[in-house]
Amino acid sequence: MRLPLLATTFLAAPALLAGCTRADAPSPNVAEQTAPVVATAAVAPAAPKPTFGTYGFDDAGMDRSIAPGDDFYGYANGTWAKTTPIPADKSNYGAFNLLDDLSKQRTREILDAAKADPNSKIGVAYSTYLDQAAIDSKGLAPIQPWLNQIKAAKTKAALAPLYAQADRNGVPVPFGSFVGQDDKNPEAYALNLFQGGLGMPDRDYYLSNDAKLAQTRAAYEKHLANVLTLAGEPDAAARAKAIVAFETKIAQAHWTRVESRDANKTYNKLTVAELRKLAPGFDFPAYFKGIGAPVDSVIVAQPSAVAGIAKLIQATPVPVLQDQLLVRSLDGFADVLPSAFDKEQFAFYGTTLSGTPEQEARWKRAVNFTTDAISDEVSQAYVAKYFPPETKAAADKLVKNVIEAMGRRIDQLDWMAPETKAKAHAKLAAFTPKIGYPDRWHDYSGLTITAGDALGNNIRANNWAHEDNVSKLGQPIRRWEWGMTPMEINAYANFGMVEIVFPAAILQPPFFDPNADPAVNYGGIGAVIGHELSHHFDDQGAKYNAEGRLTDWWTPADVAAFKARTDALVAQYDKYEPLPGKHVQGALTLGENVADLAGLTVAYDAYKASLGGQPAPVIDGTSGDQRFYLGWAQVWRRNYREANLQQRLLTDPHSPSEQRAWVVRNLDPWYSAFAPEPGAKLYLTPEQRVRIW
């Protein structure tokens, strides 16, 4: 999926992370002297132990009753999966969540210390968000001016300026917009416009005949009615029904997620005059002026959907459009409104949609809010305390080794033309790896944070982020800017920037442990690096050249050979059925599956090269190759609640964790390492194995 700033990410979005060279861990013990040998002689410090197991892998979590050829995920993680409950405040739980909890705890300590300084923006924002009693005491008074502004827009002519202000405030409107690199002119910024307008995660929630999704639709309508009732609005049930009817029509106009991930189909540069002709039902010039981007042209991702939504806006009564904005505002700011709104918002979006029984503790959400609102001030404090230079140096070396391995892979391809290989090498040479944290930070001097004004802080932070984004128009590309904070347990590839980015917090066990066996690290963080690197050569990333420009640079024969291989991967993943009757969407998850396959392939080559021609040691009865693949499986430990897994199967461009671990069935060295028998569930004949890079 192409994001406003990030071309693609390693993980499924929202909710994802446990400790590496842990800055908060005790120092290694020093062995005691045993006998009075020479007075000046001391025993050397004991070698530091890895966080997991004896060599970096938690073998206690394995289930050896499962044959690796039947279920490699279960073999590596089965006991862990059976014995690890999902915490009540989570929709899923695994290695990522463990690290995320650690990041939150560390950030909390930073913010707790900042509370003592009345001049600290992050301290004031954090403490103000934490004070739910003060928020409750004010009722709806803080948001009432904005609600009144919505209610005052009684004509269609007033809608475009109103939507623009909603956009600035961070309230979703039927169209999404952002300023980002122009895919076909990567040295310039452009305004992008894309479909929006749904209160549920995907069009299928409105249109599918699935019985559980029908129940979710009914719960959504009830939720909207509850929100309107809490706000003191009359006729809540009828008004909620009208909102759902409006959004159902929007869903019918929407492109599917598979269609929306095609970089060529979603690049449609139109003049504003052409856009007005395409979608005459909405005053786009007034909207663009209102968001601070009075442009002459715009890149439209889904033209037919945008036209359809504009037509629906023109045909829909103004009170319904107002009501949609009302509920979006009350839901969007629910955590800084009276607790009744917060609880109602979580009841639907947390429990109904994701199956999560309990809301996160207020302090965790305060950490999230402050980190989102004033990201770089929190980030600077975090990296100063928790990201040692030696970790960055080790990661730099791993990245270099994986990039070199990718170069060797390109040379060995039998399906790519020599001229295309030369261009692929040029692209590889153009990569910018970013490790840990940015080398430049945003300036928040223009952002006002006020003690006791939680809603105002939220809206002002959203306005600051909006202004910062639209201010890029006409300016040089910010190659220093990151799309994630150092505290995120994630990584991403940005096609336009020709970069791969690894935040500090992912450089921890089980992904990377300086005290672990190298095989486990290459199977963990090495495969993550390979994953992000190979995204630039997946079915979408391969459309961007060494300059980050969306263009055709492969020969037609290369494209056909590549598509034949990726079609086989689509078919392989389409067969997986994580829930009864619910399959992985091979076409939706293709980019991530290609990156998993290629990333693991390249990381294995890098690991073998790192041995310098020497055999890997046998440790606890495991070979180096076995430890490499076990390291890969370990990072995908995750238990899901059913509702969360169902949502991911509909919306997530990543396959579920179990199926991500199964990608090994396409790799010849895995067969040598674990000797699965023909007839085993994961077994593929050599001819059936998908080989791309």
Side-chain angles (χ1 to χ4, degrees):
M1 179 178 179
R2 293 164 65 236
L3 302 174
L5 176 63
L6 320 182
T8 184
T9 55
F10 180 55
L11 310 168
L16 317 159
L17 334 210
C20 151
T21 310
R22 295 173 61 162
D24 57 342
S27 301
N29 293 325
V30 178
E32 295 180 1
Q33 296 183 16
T34 53
V37 201
V38 180
T40 56
V43 177
K49 293 182 178 181
T51 298
F52 296 106
T54 58
Y55 56 83
F57 174 75
D58 174 27
D59 57 357
M62 299 176 72
D63 186 345
R64 298 178 190 273
S65 71
I66 298 174
D70 284 335
D71 177 6
F72 188 62
Y73 175 90
Y75 170 74
N77 301 313
T79 296
W80 175 90
K82 292 173 187 174
T83 59
T84 304
I86 302 174
D89 66 347
K90 291 178 172 41
S91 61
N92 63 84
Y93 188 71
F96 294 98
N97 308 85
L98 187 63
L99 278 178
D100 187 47
D101 286 343
L102 178 62
S103 279
K104 280 191 174 71
Q105 183 57 49
R106 289 172 167 177
T107 306
R108 179 189 192 181
E109 292 168 6
I110 291 167
L111 295 176
D112 279 342
K115 285 195 300 182
D117 181 1
N119 296 314
S120 168
K121 275 189 170 73
I122 60 175
V124 172
Y126 177 67
S127 59
T128 297
Y129 185 100
L130 279 173
D131 195 348
Q132 182 69 59
I135 293 170
D136 287 344
S137 70
K138 296 178 181 179
L140 289 178
I143 201 173
Q144 200 62 56
W146 169 239
L147 300 182
N148 291 343
Q149 190 175 340
I150 294 172
K151 293 178 180 181
K154 297 183 181 299
T155 66
K156 291 288 172 70
L159 275 179
L162 179 67
Y163 279 168
Q165 186 58 52
D167 207 341
R168 287 176 174 273
N169 290 349
V171 177
V173 299
F175 306 103
S177 63
F178 71 94
V179 171
Q181 272 180 292
D182 185 328
D183 277 358
K184 293 193 175 181
N185 182 16
E187 291 303 318
Y189 284 113
L191 182 65
N192 294 260
L193 188 70
F194 54 94
Q195 66 188 20
L198 302 183
M200 290 190 286
D202 186 76
R203 67 195 298 273
D204 283 358
Y205 278 84
Y206 295 85
L207 307 177
S208 173
N209 292 324
D210 180 86
K212 289 188 177 180
L213 293 184
Q215 292 173 1
T216 304
R217 280 196 294 275
Y220 176 58
E221 185 174 316
K222 182 67 166 63
H223 164 68
L224 297 180
N226 290 345
V227 171
L228 290 169
T229 299
L230 286 172
E233 297 292 329
D235 304 319
R239 292 163 69 177
K241 190 176 187 68
I243 294 171
V244 173
F246 173 55
E247 292 183 3
T248 300
K249 292 175 183 176
I250 290 178
Q252 291 167 342
H254 266 216
W255 286 21
T256 67
R257 288 178 182 264
V258 173
E259 293 169 325
S260 294
R261 66 178 297 273
D262 189 311
N264 291 322
K265 289 181 180 178
T266 54
Y267 186 92
N268 304 282
K269 196 164 192 175
L270 306 176
T271 65
V272 173
E274 290 171 331
L275 175 62
R276 295 190 74 178
K277 185 176 180 181
L278 171 75
F282 185 73
D283 189 351
F284 282 105
Y287 171 71
F288 295 149
K289 180 181 178 182
I291 64 173
V295 293
D296 297 320
S297 64
V298 60
I299 299 170
V300 182
Q302 302 98 351
S304 62
V306 167
I309 294 168
K311 186 176 180 180
L312 285 169
I313 290 173
Q314 184 62 32
T316 300
V318 171
V320 176
L321 302 175
Q322 290 173 309
D323 282 349
Q324 189 194 39
L325 265 188
L326 282 174
V327 295
R328 286 291 175 278
S329 300
L330 294 166
D331 264 343
F333 295 121
D335 57 339
V336 287
L337 292 177
S339 53
F341 289 90
D342 195 25
K343 291 175 182 176
E344 174 58 37
Q345 195 269 356
F346 177 76
F348 178 73
Y349 287 100
T351 302
T352 300
L353 280 181
S354 294
T356 310
E358 294 180 10
Q359 196 168 26
E360 278 193 320
R362 186 77 184 175
W363 73 262
K364 292 182 181 180
R365 295 189 289 139
V367 165
N368 290 341
F369 167 76
T370 310
T371 301
D372 289 344
I374 320 171
S375 302
D376 285 6
E377 286 195 12
V378 179
S379 299
Q380 288 182 75
Y382 180 92
V383 297
K385 190 172 183 180
Y386 295 115
F387 191 61
E390 54 266 28
T391 301
K392 182 175 173 64
D396 285 337
K397 183 178 180 180
L398 274 168
V399 170
K400 179 176 180 292
N401 291 348
V402 173
I403 289 177
E404 289 176 353
M406 185 68 177
R408 293 191 293 272
R409 275 277 154 185
I410 291 170
D411 289 335
Q412 295 167 13
L413 293 177
D414 59 4
W415 56 266
M416 182 177 277
E419 59 266 36
T420 310
K421 287 184 179 181
K423 293 175 182 177
H425 276 293
K427 182 172 182 177
L428 205 58
F431 272 103
T432 300
K434 293 180 176 178
I435 309 293
Y437 56 91
D439 57 13
R440 179 176 168 185
W441 304 100
H442 290 93
D443 176 8
Y444 295 97
S445 58
L447 172 60
T448 299
I449 297 294
T450 303
D453 187 11
L455 175 72
N457 290 341
N458 195 333
I459 292 177
R460 286 187 292 273
N462 290 345
N463 272 267
W464 182 93
H466 177 93
E467 291 297 329
D468 182 65
N469 179 249
V470 298
S471 72
K472 296 176 182 178
L473 286 169
Q475 299 300 312
I477 298 297
R478 296 183 186 177
R479 299 196 174 274
W480 55 270
E481 194 169 48
W482 281 43
M484 290 180 178
T485 71
M487 294 81 77
E488 289 188 57
I489 293 66
N490 211 332
Y492 69 91
N494 187 318
F495 300 155
M497 295 285 195
V498 197
E499 66 184 15
I500 49 178
V501 186
F502 307 96
I506 200 171
L507 300 171
Q508 303 183 86
F511 295 95
F512 173 69
D513 185 341
N515 302 318
D517 176 67
V520 178
N521 280 334
Y522 273 96
I525 197 65
V528 174
I529 294 166
H531 174 106
E532 299 306 338
L533 181 65
S534 60
H535 260 314
H536 288 272
F537 299 93
D538 70 16
D539 68 306
Q540 300 304 315
K543 298 176 180 179
Y544 295 76
N545 67 9
E547 299 172 343
R549 188 184 308 276
L550 180 62
T551 186
D552 294 329
W553 58 277
W554 293 30
T555 69
D558 294 331
V559 173
F562 184 70
K563 188 174 187 304
R565 287 160 172 78
T566 57
D567 283 350
L569 202 62
V570 170
Q572 184 180 115
Y573 278 79
D574 276 342
K575 294 176 182 176
Y576 296 144
E577 191 176 356
L579 290 172
K582 312 288 184 184
H583 287 253
V584 174
Q585 297 184 64
L588 175 61
T589 58
L590 177 59
E592 301 299 331
N593 298 335
V594 169
D596 282 348
L597 176 58
L600 199 56
T601 300
V602 172
Y604 176 81
D605 287 358
Y607 166 60
K608 300 301 278 190
S610 75
L611 296 174
Q614 298 300 310
V618 174
I619 303 175
D620 290 353
T622 63
S623 68
D625 282 13
Q626 288 174 329
R627 296 192 299 276
F628 173 83
Y629 290 114
L630 288 171
W632 166 254
Q634 180 172 243
V635 304
W636 295 117
R637 289 181 169 182
R638 184 181 296 185
N639 286 334
Y640 299 93
R641 299 190 190 278
E642 183 177 334
N644 178 248
L645 183 54
Q646 175 169 279
Q647 182 181 155
R648 287 170 179 266
L649 290 172
L650 287 173
T651 65
D652 196 344
H654 306 78
S655 297
S657 288
E658 188 170 7
Q659 285 70 45
R660 295 188 77 168
W662 290 352
V663 75
V664 296
R665 68 194 303 218
N666 295 291
L667 304 172
D668 294 342
W670 177 76
Y671 286 83
S672 300
F674 291 96
E677 296 288 336
K681 293 177 182 177
L682 293 181
Y683 186 90
L684 296 172
T685 65
E687 297 75 26
Q688 292 173 318
R689 297 168 199 169
V690 179
R691 309 171 196 274
I692 301 178
W693 294 102

